[in-house]
mmCIF file of all heavy atoms in Angstrom:
data_model
loop_
_atom_site.group_PDB
_atom_site.id
_atom_site.type_symbol
_atom_site.label_atom_id
_atom_site.label_comp_id
_atom_site.label_asym_id
_atom_site.label_seq_id
_atom_site.Cartn_x
_atom_site.Cartn_y
_atom_site.Cartn_z
ATOM 1 N N SER M 243 96.368 84.411 85.450
ATOM 2 C CA SER M 243 95.399 83.398 85.764
ATOM 3 C C SER M 243 95.890 81.959 85.380
ATOM 4 O O SER M 243 96.403 81.797 84.311
ATOM 5 C CB SER M 243 94.004 83.612 85.130
ATOM 6 O OG SER M 243 94.064 84.403 84.049
ATOM 7 N N GLU M 244 95.592 81.074 86.302
ATOM 8 C CA GLU M 244 96.093 79.693 86.101
ATOM 9 C C GLU M 244 94.927 78.834 85.617
ATOM 10 O O GLU M 244 93.813 78.964 86.097
ATOM 11 C CB GLU M 244 96.602 79.155 87.383
ATOM 12 C CG GLU M 244 97.977 79.784 87.682
ATOM 13 C CD GLU M 244 98.548 79.577 89.026
ATOM 14 O OE1 GLU M 244 98.062 80.254 90.042
ATOM 15 O OE2 GLU M 244 99.391 78.653 89.215
ATOM 16 N N GLY M 245 95.167 78.042 84.634
ATOM 17 C CA GLY M 245 94.085 77.209 84.139
ATOM 18 C C GLY M 245 94.721 76.147 83.213
ATOM 19 O O GLY M 245 95.802 75.624 83.434
ATOM 20 N N ALA M 246 93.937 75.906 82.060
ATOM 21 C CA ALA M 246 94.405 74.816 81.193
ATOM 22 C C ALA M 246 94.076 75.194 79.748
ATOM 23 O O ALA M 246 93.116 75.963 79.498
ATOM 24 C CB ALA M 246 93.724 73.545 81.540
ATOM 25 N N ILE M 247 94.893 74.642 78.941
ATOM 26 C CA ILE M 247 94.615 74.763 77.444
ATOM 27 C C ILE M 247 93.909 73.412 77.103
ATOM 28 O O ILE M 247 94.473 72.395 77.491
ATOM 29 C CB ILE M 247 95.899 74.926 76.638
ATOM 30 C CG1 ILE M 247 96.590 76.214 76.992
ATOM 31 C CG2 ILE M 247 95.569 74.815 75.115
ATOM 32 C CD1 ILE M 247 96.003 77.462 76.284
ATOM 33 N N ILE M 248 92.813 73.456 76.459
ATOM 34 C CA ILE M 248 92.114 72.244 75.946
ATOM 35 C C ILE M 248 91.940 72.217 74.518
ATOM 36 O O ILE M 248 91.505 73.253 73.971
ATOM 37 C CB ILE M 248 90.820 72.035 76.752
ATOM 38 C CG1 ILE M 248 90.995 72.150 78.293
ATOM 39 C CG2 ILE M 248 90.133 70.751 76.368
ATOM 40 C CD1 ILE M 248 89.682 72.133 79.065
ATOM 41 N N THR M 249 92.280 71.166 73.867
ATOM 42 C CA THR M 249 92.088 71.063 72.461
ATOM 43 C C THR M 249 90.830 70.327 72.063
ATOM 44 O O THR M 249 90.577 69.252 72.474
ATOM 45 C CB THR M 249 93.312 70.220 71.879
ATOM 46 O OG1 THR M 249 94.562 70.839 72.367
ATOM 47 C CG2 THR M 249 93.318 70.302 70.325
ATOM 48 N N GLU M 266 92.085 75.346 70.086
ATOM 49 C CA GLU M 266 92.521 75.275 71.480
ATOM 50 C C GLU M 266 91.746 76.456 72.238
ATOM 51 O O GLU M 266 91.621 77.472 71.648
ATOM 52 C CB GLU M 266 94.050 75.639 71.652
ATOM 53 C CG GLU M 266 94.969 74.474 71.198
ATOM 54 C CD GLU M 266 96.433 74.814 71.583
ATOM 55 O OE1 GLU M 266 96.798 75.978 71.610
ATOM 56 O OE2 GLU M 266 97.159 73.780 71.701
ATOM 57 N N VAL M 267 91.336 76.074 73.467
ATOM 58 C CA VAL M 267 90.667 77.121 74.252
ATOM 59 C C VAL M 267 91.540 77.224 75.609
ATOM 60 O O VAL M 267 92.131 76.227 75.990
ATOM 61 C CB VAL M 267 89.246 76.704 74.555
ATOM 62 C CG1 VAL M 267 88.393 76.556 73.367
ATOM 63 C CG2 VAL M 267 89.123 75.591 75.514
ATOM 64 N N PHE M 268 91.360 78.383 76.171
ATOM 65 C CA PHE M 268 92.007 78.536 77.544
ATOM 66 C C PHE M 268 90.840 78.657 78.558
ATOM 67 O O PHE M 268 89.847 79.350 78.282
ATOM 68 C CB PHE M 268 92.917 79.744 77.612
ATOM 69 C CG PHE M 268 93.323 80.077 78.976
ATOM 70 C CD1 PHE M 268 94.303 79.208 79.597
ATOM 71 C CD2 PHE M 268 92.826 81.172 79.685
ATOM 72 C CE1 PHE M 268 94.710 79.437 80.812
ATOM 73 C CE2 PHE M 268 93.266 81.393 81.008
ATOM 74 C CZ PHE M 268 94.262 80.552 81.647
ATOM 75 N N THR M 269 90.937 77.891 79.607
ATOM 76 C CA THR M 269 89.990 78.075 80.676
ATOM 77 C C THR M 269 90.741 78.039 82.042
ATOM 78 O O THR M 269 91.669 77.381 82.227
ATOM 79 C CB THR M 269 88.922 76.960 80.602
ATOM 80 O OG1 THR M 269 87.996 77.125 81.715
ATOM 81 C CG2 THR M 269 89.546 75.576 80.683
ATOM 82 N N THR M 270 90.036 78.824 82.961
ATOM 83 C CA THR M 270 90.538 78.735 84.391
ATOM 84 C C THR M 270 89.825 77.665 85.199
ATOM 85 O O THR M 270 90.098 77.457 86.266
ATOM 86 C CB THR M 270 90.404 80.107 85.128
ATOM 87 O OG1 THR M 270 89.061 80.542 85.029
ATOM 88 C CG2 THR M 270 91.350 81.116 84.489
ATOM 89 N N ARG M 271 88.828 77.171 84.483
ATOM 90 C CA ARG M 271 87.965 76.224 85.192
ATOM 91 C C ARG M 271 87.870 74.904 84.412
ATOM 92 O O ARG M 271 86.754 74.518 83.936
ATOM 93 C CB ARG M 271 86.482 76.852 85.281
ATOM 94 C CG ARG M 271 86.436 78.067 86.075
ATOM 95 C CD ARG M 271 86.610 77.893 87.585
ATOM 96 N NE ARG M 271 85.679 76.854 88.076
ATOM 97 C CZ ARG M 271 84.473 77.072 88.463
ATOM 98 N NH1 ARG M 271 83.996 78.259 88.476
ATOM 99 N NH2 ARG M 271 83.692 76.098 88.953
ATOM 100 N N PRO M 272 88.887 74.147 84.334
ATOM 101 C CA PRO M 272 88.883 72.958 83.733
ATOM 102 C C PRO M 272 87.841 71.914 84.398
ATOM 103 O O PRO M 272 87.383 70.978 83.730
ATOM 104 C CB PRO M 272 90.319 72.273 83.824
ATOM 105 C CG PRO M 272 91.001 73.213 84.727
ATOM 106 C CD PRO M 272 90.274 74.396 84.780
ATOM 107 N N ASP M 273 87.603 72.224 85.664
ATOM 108 C CA ASP M 273 86.636 71.369 86.372
ATOM 109 C C ASP M 273 85.251 71.459 85.864
ATOM 110 O O ASP M 273 84.354 70.681 86.154
ATOM 111 C CB ASP M 273 86.646 71.724 87.834
ATOM 112 C CG ASP M 273 86.391 73.282 88.091
ATOM 113 O OD1 ASP M 273 86.831 74.106 87.147
ATOM 114 O OD2 ASP M 273 85.802 73.606 89.123
ATOM 115 N N THR M 356 93.625 82.026 74.118
ATOM 116 C CA THR M 356 93.862 81.486 72.749
ATOM 117 C C THR M 356 92.890 82.183 71.729
ATOM 118 O O THR M 356 92.877 81.862 70.486
ATOM 119 C CB THR M 356 93.578 79.966 72.732
ATOM 120 O OG1 THR M 356 92.232 79.735 73.034
ATOM 121 C CG2 THR M 356 94.507 79.256 73.680
ATOM 122 N N MET M 360 85.633 77.615 75.628
ATOM 123 C CA MET M 360 84.558 76.596 75.705
ATOM 124 C C MET M 360 83.519 77.408 76.572
ATOM 125 O O MET M 360 83.901 77.965 77.613
ATOM 126 C CB MET M 360 85.031 75.365 76.386
ATOM 127 C CG MET M 360 85.524 75.452 77.763
ATOM 128 S SD MET M 360 85.977 73.912 78.472
ATOM 129 C CE MET M 360 85.907 74.272 80.265
ATOM 130 N N ALA M 388 89.630 69.507 89.156
ATOM 131 C CA ALA M 388 90.296 70.164 88.095
ATOM 132 C C ALA M 388 91.609 69.420 87.740
ATOM 133 O O ALA M 388 91.948 69.213 86.579
ATOM 134 C CB ALA M 388 90.584 71.613 88.592
ATOM 135 N N VAL M 391 90.956 66.349 85.708
ATOM 136 C CA VAL M 391 90.656 66.654 84.266
ATOM 137 C C VAL M 391 91.836 66.962 83.560
ATOM 138 O O VAL M 391 92.184 66.449 82.363
ATOM 139 C CB VAL M 391 89.723 67.871 84.299
ATOM 140 C CG1 VAL M 391 89.596 68.326 82.778
ATOM 141 C CG2 VAL M 391 88.330 67.487 84.848
ATOM 142 N N ILE M 392 92.832 67.763 84.177
ATOM 143 C CA ILE M 392 94.061 68.052 83.509
ATOM 144 C C ILE M 392 94.872 66.778 83.255
ATOM 145 O O ILE M 392 95.424 66.637 82.123
ATOM 146 C CB ILE M 392 94.903 69.148 84.308
ATOM 147 C CG1 ILE M 392 94.032 70.482 84.252
ATOM 148 C CG2 ILE M 392 96.235 69.300 83.670
ATOM 149 C CD1 ILE M 392 94.665 71.517 85.138
ATOM 150 N N LEU M 395 93.406 65.026 80.349
ATOM 151 C CA LEU M 395 93.692 65.709 79.075
ATOM 152 C C LEU M 395 95.162 65.387 78.626
ATOM 153 O O LEU M 395 95.447 65.172 77.469
ATOM 154 C CB LEU M 395 93.609 67.229 79.232
ATOM 155 C CG LEU M 395 92.106 67.665 79.370
ATOM 156 C CD1 LEU M 395 92.105 69.207 79.907
ATOM 157 C CD2 LEU M 395 91.346 67.585 78.069
ATOM 158 N N ALA M 400 95.430 65.950 74.855
ATOM 159 C CA ALA M 400 94.400 66.942 74.444
ATOM 160 C C ALA M 400 94.403 68.151 75.308
ATOM 161 O O ALA M 400 93.414 68.968 75.285
ATOM 162 C CB ALA M 400 93.013 66.294 74.484
ATOM 163 N N GLY M 401 95.447 68.415 76.079
ATOM 164 C CA GLY M 401 95.517 69.646 76.846
ATOM 165 C C GLY M 401 96.607 69.586 77.886
ATOM 166 O O GLY M 401 97.281 68.570 78.049
ATOM 167 N N TYR M 402 96.718 70.682 78.552
ATOM 168 C CA TYR M 402 97.876 70.868 79.590
ATOM 169 C C TYR M 402 97.523 72.059 80.472
ATOM 170 O O TYR M 402 96.865 72.941 80.037
ATOM 171 C CB TYR M 402 99.203 70.941 78.884
ATOM 172 C CG TYR M 402 99.274 72.044 77.786
ATOM 173 C CD1 TYR M 402 99.702 73.337 78.251
ATOM 174 C CD2 TYR M 402 98.920 71.741 76.494
ATOM 175 C CE1 TYR M 402 99.718 74.295 77.253
ATOM 176 C CE2 TYR M 402 98.958 72.766 75.549
ATOM 177 C CZ TYR M 402 99.400 74.074 75.884
ATOM 178 O OH TYR M 402 99.460 74.961 74.921
ATOM 179 N N ALA M 403 98.165 72.041 81.626
ATOM 180 C CA ALA M 403 98.003 73.192 82.466
ATOM 181 C C ALA M 403 98.705 74.395 81.895
ATOM 182 O O ALA M 403 99.756 74.289 81.321
ATOM 183 C CB ALA M 403 98.544 72.807 83.932
ATOM 184 N N LYS M 404 98.086 75.570 82.133
ATOM 185 C CA LYS M 404 98.716 76.747 81.513
ATOM 186 C C LYS M 404 98.339 78.048 82.333
ATOM 187 O O LYS M 404 97.248 78.154 82.846
ATOM 188 C CB LYS M 404 98.164 76.919 80.055
ATOM 189 C CG LYS M 404 98.386 78.243 79.372
ATOM 190 C CD LYS M 404 99.748 78.266 78.759
ATOM 191 C CE LYS M 404 99.913 79.585 77.904
ATOM 192 N NZ LYS M 404 101.287 79.637 77.348
ATOM 193 N N THR M 405 99.318 78.884 82.431
ATOM 194 C CA THR M 405 99.131 80.193 83.109
ATOM 195 C C THR M 405 99.110 81.308 82.023
ATOM 196 O O THR M 405 100.008 81.330 81.112
ATOM 197 C CB THR M 405 100.184 80.416 84.112
ATOM 198 O OG1 THR M 405 100.189 79.389 85.008
ATOM 199 C CG2 THR M 405 100.026 81.732 84.859
ATOM 200 N N THR M 406 98.116 82.159 82.073
ATOM 201 C CA THR M 406 98.206 83.280 81.079
ATOM 202 C C THR M 406 98.238 84.618 81.886
ATOM 203 O O THR M 406 97.939 84.643 83.113
ATOM 204 C CB THR M 406 96.931 83.329 80.263
ATOM 205 O OG1 THR M 406 95.808 83.398 81.033
ATOM 206 C CG2 THR M 406 96.881 82.089 79.401
ATOM 207 P P A J 94 90.012 85.488 83.639
ATOM 208 O OP1 A J 94 89.594 85.876 84.977
ATOM 209 O OP2 A J 94 91.341 85.038 83.405
ATOM 210 O "O5'" A J 94 88.819 84.431 83.204
ATOM 211 C "C5'" A J 94 89.308 83.286 82.727
ATOM 212 C "C4'" A J 94 88.131 82.674 81.992
ATOM 213 O "O4'" A J 94 87.567 83.522 81.065
ATOM 214 C "C3'" A J 94 88.565 81.431 81.218
ATOM 215 O "O3'" A J 94 88.679 80.288 81.924
ATOM 216 C "C2'" A J 94 87.399 81.382 80.132
ATOM 217 O "O2'" A J 94 86.326 80.772 80.737
ATOM 218 C "C1'" A J 94 87.234 82.904 79.827
ATOM 219 N N9 A J 94 87.997 83.384 78.762
ATOM 220 C C8 A J 94 89.267 83.033 78.356
ATOM 221 N N7 A J 94 89.652 83.637 77.309
ATOM 222 C C5 A J 94 88.695 84.505 76.938
ATOM 223 C C6 A J 94 88.486 85.510 76.009
ATOM 224 N N6 A J 94 89.398 85.673 75.059
ATOM 225 N N1 A J 94 87.322 86.117 75.956
ATOM 226 C C2 A J 94 86.457 85.875 76.875
ATOM 227 N N3 A J 94 86.455 84.996 77.962
ATOM 228 C C4 A J 94 87.590 84.355 77.872
#
Side-chain angles (χ1 to χ4, degrees):
Chain M
S243 24
E244 288 170 277
I247 298 276
I248 303 176
T249 307
E266 289 189 331
V267 303
F268 173 70
T269 179
T270 54
R271 298 289 306 275
D273 54 330
T356 61
M360 62 177 202
V391 172
I392 292 173
L395 289 167
Y402 52 93
K404 166 85 175 176
T405 301
T406 61

